[in-house]
Amino acid sequence: MLDWRWDFTLDILPRLLVATGNTLLAAGLGYAIAIVLGLVLALAQRTPSRAFTMIVREMVEFIRSTPLVLQIFFVFYVAPQFGIRLSPWTAGMIAIGLHYAAYLSEVYRGGLDSVPKGQWEAATSLNLSTARTYFRVIIPQAMPPSLAGMGNYLVGILKDTPMLSVIGVAELMHTANAIGSETYRFLEPYTMVGVIFLALSLPTAAAIRLFEAWLRRKLGMI
Amino acid sequence: MRENDLTGYPPKLEGPDRPMVRFANVTKSYGSLTVLDSLDLDVAEGEMVTIIGPSGSGKTTVLRMLMTLETINGGVIYVDGDPLTHMPQGDRLVPANRRHVRQIRSKIGMCFQQFNLFPHMTALENCMEGPVHVLGMPKKDAQERAEELLAMVGMADKRDQHPSRLSGGQQQRVAIARALAMRPKVMLFDEVTSALDPEVIGEVTNVIRKLVSEHNLTMLMVTHQMGFARDISDRICFFYGGRIEEQGTPDELFNHPQKERTQQFLRAVKEAV
């Protein structure tokens, strides 16, 4: 039978909960970077310059087509060769933020494309500037259709934070590994990591669905 | 193309008789398909000109070029004396930059077949967006003006509604108010009743009738409502195959059409009703 010890589980729980804070911080920071940078990448593909669009497209494809864990290693271990010394947190946030920015830029692209052409024409007929057209007319309408995809990637980035353990970011997985190697007990820490992730992911997904419905109502687009 | 051959075009139209809108030898084509073929058309200040014709005759393209939603392949468009598609450089014309286009374009307003209201803004916000953020009007003044215009189109009580809560006729009336809020000198109506249920067409055409009788706006309209066009237009242009086949007063064109294609078109329209 399984050798599950409740007293041990209770013992390690405080340490795991502290690490959960780091996991949330890593996911939150990474996602914040990805949300902004993703929009930049999406808008950068809509300039009149064909060449520039191609370069950004290829960059996005490159990031999406290589493993995240490789990108994390790369930023952390290769950047110092160019004289850039980064802490595990900084390197981790750059790598995961950039990786998810590439994914989110595709979500935004779909959202932006879904705004009817007539909206652009109305903005032109009112003589709105390009920036104003994007930020007041197009992006608000591109948001609701983008939210489902954005939500998927929020849960995705949360579940990908354990990859940061490879460069020593003290998030959940890293802490569970540490507990395991100190005590030679792996069942309880890994199980608890799974339970905690489940407890984080499920409400997040539900909250996103509620937010999406709320936003559509708020924007008057039911 | 003749894009570079702009020697014959004046950099500015002057004199008291200058038209509000002039299409000078304007050509528009998509690849090998010529949509408009050397169009010459003047619209005087305060004049209401309606464009009719079979689909594919280029009539909507005329309005879209004037709103700069389409580029042109040849010729020059003038608005209120200034070139719209080009700008003067010394004593010749060169293709206009964005800034010049924006400056001249501010004299033109447009209403669309599909209304194209901003769905995430209320009726009032739709009418304030341009005045506040393009014209730089103080919010309070812009709101007053927007409320006046919404009242004029009979939509004062719906000012806080989003477009999704409004009927097609109501949306189109808000769209007219939104365009007028920018104080254009030229208004373009592109099949503004085509997407409407028959019973609400009247509420939109009545607003346009009111504009014609009470304001000195220059208007260009594309419509399939022949009776409406006949009532309110100063001049009707019948387009066929990218050219003006025939034009004249409503009486001349509807009652005494000279060209056979005009007669055919009018017969076909009459039979459809």
Side-chain angles (χ1 to χ4, degrees):
Chain A
M1 274 308 284
L2 277 177
D3 174 27
W4 176 276
R5 282 176 43 193
W6 282 107
D7 57 334
F8 177 65
T9 310
L10 275 176
D11 271 355
I12 61 169
L13 198 56
R15 253 178 103 183
L16 288 175
L17 288 179
V18 170
T20 305
N22 281 342
T23 290
L24 287 175
L25 186 66
L29 275 177
Y31 198 62
I33 294 170
I35 277 189
V36 177
L37 198 60
L39 186 61
V40 173
L41 289 176
L43 294 180
Q45 292 177 52
R46 301 174 71 92
T47 65
S49 161
R50 276 259 176 110
F52 188 65
T53 301
M54 279 291 288
I55 292 168
V56 178
R57 262 238 56 71
E58 290 306 316
M59 218 170 81
V60 167
E61 276 309 314
F62 175 76
I63 296 170
R64 291 192 331 144
S65 315
T66 49
L68 172 58
V69 72
L70 176 70
Q71 291 165 12
I72 293 171
F73 273 132
F74 211 83
V75 172
F76 188 60
Y77 290 111
V78 179
Q81 308 237 333
F82 297 95
I84 309 164
R85 202 159 294 280
L86 300 167
S87 74
W89 268 96
T90 313
M93 289 305 95
I94 291 173
I96 208 165
L98 197 62
H99 191 79
Y100 274 87
Y103 283 127
L104 284 184
S105 76
E106 290 292 292
V107 173
Y108 292 144
R109 207 162 64 100
L112 291 171
D113 287 345
S114 76
V115 178
K117 214 169 116 249
Q119 293 292 309
W120 288 95
E121 296 181 348
T124 302
S125 77
L126 293 177
N127 227 356
L128 299 183
S129 67
T130 307
R132 193 92 207 146
T133 302
Y134 267 111
F135 287 102
R136 278 287 289 181
V137 177
I138 304 302
I139 291 175
Q141 295 183 64
M143 260 160 44
S146 302
L147 269 184
M150 288 174 74
N152 286 341
Y153 285 123
L154 176 57
V155 175
I157 202 169
L158 184 69
K159 290 191 302 173
D160 271 353
T161 51
M163 291 197 199
L164 298 172
S165 67
V166 298
I167 53 169
V169 173
E171 49 65 65
L172 263 175
M173 198 63 196
H174 189 266
T175 306
N177 281 333
I179 292 170
S181 49
E182 287 160 20
T183 62
Y184 303 105
R185 294 196 64 85
F186 291 94
L187 175 64
E188 290 88 352
Y190 287 160
T191 306
M192 288 314 290
V193 168
V195 169
I196 291 171
F197 267 113
L198 206 58
L200 294 177
S201 300
L202 290 180
T204 305
I208 289 157
R209 275 195 297 277
L210 287 177
F211 180 65
E212 190 183 345
W214 174 83
L215 189 70
R216 274 183 202 277
R217 243 192 338 272
K218 175 106 199 317
L219 296 177
M221 307 192 304
I222 314 123
Chain B
M1 299 253 61
R2 285 165 307 216
E3 207 150 3
N4 296 323
D5 183 22
L6 294 162
T7 41
Y9 299 97
K12 202 169 171 60
L13 305 180
E14 272 154 330
D17 301 334
R18 68 187 159 91
M20 179 55 80
V21 175
R22 165 168 288 175
F23 291 86
N25 201 19
V26 172
T27 299
K28 172 72 187 172
S29 53
Y30 299 103
S32 60
L33 177 76
T34 302
V35 185
L36 282 170
D37 187 10
S38 320
L39 173 70
D40 286 306
L41 175 65
D42 279 5
V43 183
E45 185 170 2
E47 194 182 14
M48 168 61 146
V49 173
T50 297
I51 299 172
I52 61 171
S55 63
S57 59
K59 49 194 197 309
T60 286
T61 308
V62 174
L63 302 193
R64 292 178 57 83
M65 290 188 313
L66 190 49
M67 194 67 258
T68 68
L69 301 174
E70 308 274 356
T71 55
I72 65 175
N73 303 100
V76 177
I77 300 175
Y78 295 89
V79 175
D80 201 12
D82 293 307
L84 165 75
T85 49
H86 298 75
M87 57 185 187
Q89 198 178 74
D91 55 354
R92 24 181 234 116
L93 287 176
V94 295
N97 60 22
R98 292 172 68 92
R99 207 178 131 189
H100 178 83
V101 168
R102 274 195 85 192
Q103 193 195 333
I104 307 301
R105 181 167 67 195
S106 66
K107 296 178 179 175
I108 310 168
M110 184 167 184
C111 294
F112 302 88
Q113 183 176 352
Q114 298 297 338
F115 332 129
N116 298 348
L117 288 178
F118 302 135
H120 54 300
M121 300 182 198
T122 63
L124 189 68
E125 287 165 346
N126 263 283
C127 297
M128 289 173 61
E129 179 65 24
V132 172
H133 297 289
V134 179
L135 305 182
M137 264 171 99
K139 266 207 162 126
K140 198 172 136 283
D141 299 358
Q143 177 165 346
E144 257 170 44
R145 167 124 181 102
E147 281 169 350
E148 266 169 41
L149 287 165
L150 285 173
M152 191 205 60
V153 300
M155 291 294 293
D157 55 330
K158 304 277 189 198
R159 45 166 268 184
D160 295 322
Q161 298 288 345
H162 282 95
S164 59
R165 297 277 185 211
L166 304 175
S167 73
Q170 292 172 329
Q171 288 190 53
Q172 194 60 285
R173 285 187 281 153
V174 173
I176 293 172
R178 175 176 74 171
L180 291 174
M182 297 298 286
R183 299 183 184 277
K185 291 189 162 185
V186 183
M187 271 291 284
L188 312 177
F189 296 97
D190 184 16
E191 301 197 30
V192 289
T193 56
S194 296
L196 300 178
D197 292 329
E199 72 271 20
V200 298
I201 288 178
E203 60 187 62
V204 172
T205 52
N206 282 339
V207 168
I208 299 177
R209 276 177 215 272
K210 202 149 112 191
L211 284 181
V212 172
S213 61
E214 292 172 15
H215 298 258
N216 190 37
L217 271 169
T218 305
M219 296 190 238
L220 263 162
M221 175 168 86
V222 171
T223 187
H224 297 291
Q225 304 286 119
M226 293 303 154
F228 175 53
R230 182 202 302 243
D231 284 357
I232 67 161
S233 305
D234 297 310
R235 179 155 50 113
I236 312 270
C237 295
F238 172 68
F239 269 67
Y240 189 93
R243 313 184 65 103
I244 298 176
E245 180 79 8
E246 185 171 355
Q247 58 178 316
T249 64
D251 177 56
E252 284 166 357
L253 201 102
F254 284 115
N255 300 334
H256 314 286
Q258 302 298 311
K259 300 278 183 70
E260 199 188 324
R261 281 186 181 130
T262 318
Q263 294 162 0
Q264 270 173 7
F265 176 76
L266 292 173
R267 257 201 311 279
V269 170
K270 216 173 269 168
E271 276 162 24
V273 171

